Amino acid sequence: QLDPENTGFIGVETFASLVHSHELPLDPAKLDMLVALAQGNDEGQVCYQELVDLISSKRSSSFKRAIANGQRALPRDVLLDETGLGIYKRFVRYVAYEILPCEMDRRWYFYQHRTCPPPVFMAAVVLSQIIVFLCYGARLNKWVLQTYHPEYMKSPLVYHPGHRARAWRFLTYMFMHVGLEQLGFNALLQLMIGVPLEMVHGILRISFLYLAGVLAGSLTVSITDMRAPLVGGSGGVYALCSAHLANVVMNWAGMRCPYKLLRMVLALVCMSSEVGRAVWLRFSPPLPASGPQPSFMAHLAGAIVGISMGLTILRSYEESLQDQCGWWVLLLSYGTFLLFAVFWNIFAYDLLGAQIPPPP
């Protein structure tokens, strides 16, 4: 009735009277943004599609344009100035400053965040890894260097080059760990970095990034280190960590997380030491040569996935990945790598005469 010509626009005054007369229960912050959008266009009109996007919390550039064009602000300018928040809301505020580099994005995320759906993916991964480790620890009565128990490598979850045809092993190895040290390191990073990332960017993006790192890790090992079995979720962990660290470096001035330089140095030292330890164990093993030797290539492959594909995902909080040319280039590159790795695993081992250890 208010738009007989079906233009998709109505005047601001008309919209304001409509809201007032019908007492619509709309979020005041989103109403402010909608008015700011209207003030930013030439005729001062409210767009129906922008209204739908804001009300449904759809990821778009509408909030950024509202602030830039309308010169409007949400009720409070600085999130840290707010008092009287509950524990969970304070945690959401911490996550906003920890993950997002732009103040507009942080405020938008803080005001539109909902508890449902919760960050279940990373929590489920960590819980599954702990349960699997406890089960094998109790069964084998061994909690350190479990891979050197003769029964451990018989697990259907471990990646072994002699079982390449069992394709699920290229992913399920992430649930197996050498011992408490590796499990604790991976679980800690997945909870400290993975959960906040999932809260901000959603389960689909973060689960895709994590699993892409896991798969890239096992396939890279199958190409570059053809004799090495593989356990641990280092490929996925390093994909998350490298993506987050690269995002912090690329947006250093905008990041508001406290002690960011110290935390960056500590993270790099921990990740580098873990890779260095894997390299040392691979080439100078102080352990029986009969046991499986660890490979460090999964760490590097995960880091490459995080820096390339992950950085694009984390920098697109307000934008659709499908609209970015760079995203499709990265996806095509990753798909090409997967195709090459599949053919390598099918034909290269026999053509090269690789002497792989007998499968358990």
Side-chain angles (χ1 to χ4, degrees):
Q1 293 177 353
L2 300 176
D3 184 21
E5 298 180 0
N6 198 25
T7 63
F9 292 86
I10 61 172
V12 175
E13 296 81 5
T14 304
F15 178 76
S17 62
L18 181 68
V19 172
H20 178 72
S21 61
H22 289 271
E23 298 182 353
L24 299 178
L26 301 180
D27 188 340
K30 293 183 178 181
L31 285 177
D32 282 347
M33 287 186 278
L34 190 65
V35 174
L37 282 169
Q39 293 177 346
N41 60 48
D42 296 335
E43 300 179 0
Q45 293 181 324
V46 173
C47 175
Y48 173 75
Q49 187 58 49
E50 289 173 346
L51 170 65
V52 172
D53 290 347
L54 283 173
I55 299 304
S56 62
S57 298
K58 180 180 178 181
R59 288 182 179 180
S60 66
S61 60
S62 56
F63 176 68
K64 291 182 178 180
R65 290 190 289 108
I67 299 299
N69 296 334
Q71 300 299 318
R72 298 291 295 265
L74 291 175
R76 296 175 177 88
D77 292 333
V78 183
L79 297 181
L80 293 177
D81 288 346
E82 299 190 49
T83 58
L85 296 176
I87 296 177
Y88 182 77
K89 203 62 178 176
R90 288 201 298 269
F91 177 67
V92 172
R93 179 174 59 189
Y94 162 79
V95 169
Y97 277 94
E98 183 74 17
I99 302 300
L100 294 170
C102 176
E103 181 66 16
M104 291 184 293
D105 288 342
R106 288 191 287 259
R107 288 160 57 195
W108 168 240
Y109 168 74
F110 181 74
Y111 278 97
Q112 65 89 36
H113 176 77
R114 300 293 182 269
T115 57
C116 186
V120 295
F121 175 75
M122 292 311 308
V125 168
V126 172
L127 182 61
S128 300
Q129 291 171 340
I130 293 175
I131 291 175
V132 169
F133 180 80
L134 292 177
C135 290
Y136 277 92
R139 175 185 170 187
L140 306 176
N141 194 25
K142 189 175 181 65
W143 304 94
V144 179
L145 296 177
Q146 290 182 342
T147 51
Y148 285 82
H149 192 288
E151 296 295 321
Y152 183 83
M153 297 304 293
K154 294 181 180 180
S155 169
L157 302 179
V158 174
Y159 166 76
H160 190 282
H163 289 311
R164 301 187 312 280
R166 302 174 184 178
W168 70 84
R169 291 174 178 253
F170 285 93
L171 282 176
T172 56
Y173 78 93
M174 72 180 187
F175 297 112
M176 308 291 287
H177 288 83
V178 174
L180 282 170
E181 178 186 1
Q182 187 187 32
L183 173 65
F185 180 79
N186 287 346
L188 183 64
L189 289 179
Q190 286 170 167
L191 292 175
M192 292 184 60
I193 297 179
V195 170
L197 286 176
E198 186 179 347
M199 290 177 62
V200 173
H201 296 283
I203 184 174
L204 292 179
R205 295 188 179 201
I206 299 306
S207 61
F208 178 82
L209 175 60
Y210 182 85
L211 295 177
V214 169
L215 187 57
S218 58
L219 290 175
T220 302
V221 169
S222 71
I223 295 172
T224 62
D225 205 355
M226 300 168 68
R227 292 177 51 85
L230 191 62
V231 296
S234 298
V237 171
Y238 274 64
L240 295 178
C241 293
S242 59
H244 177 56
L245 293 180
N247 190 46
V248 171
V249 172
M250 293 289 292
N251 302 278
W252 187 262
M255 299 301 297
R256 295 284 297 275
C257 48
Y259 309 109
K260 56 185 177 182
L261 180 59
L262 176 62
R263 295 165 64 184
M264 175 72 69
V265 172
L266 290 177
L268 291 176
V269 169
C270 291
M271 294 173 65
S272 301
S273 63
E274 178 69 13
V275 175
R277 175 178 174 273
V279 172
W280 179 67
L281 290 175
R282 181 66 183 89
F283 295 107
S284 299
L287 302 168
S290 59
Q293 304 304 323
S295 176
F296 58 91
M297 294 305 298
H299 302 73
L300 300 182
I304 293 174
V305 169
I307 293 175
S308 57
M309 185 181 299
L311 185 58
T312 302
I313 291 176
L314 300 193
R315 294 181 65 184
S316 305
Y317 170 67
E318 282 283 328
E319 301 172 13
S320 175
L321 292 174
Q322 290 83 350
D323 297 335
Q324 302 182 48
C325 179
W327 167 249
W328 292 107
V329 172
L330 291 172
L331 207 58
L332 179 62
S333 301
Y334 187 77
T336 303
F337 163 74
L338 293 184
L339 190 61
F340 170 78
V342 169
F343 278 95
W344 179 277
N345 278 274
I346 295 175
F347 301 109
Y349 279 75
D350 294 333
L351 292 175
L352 298 176
Q355 300 297 319
I356 62 176

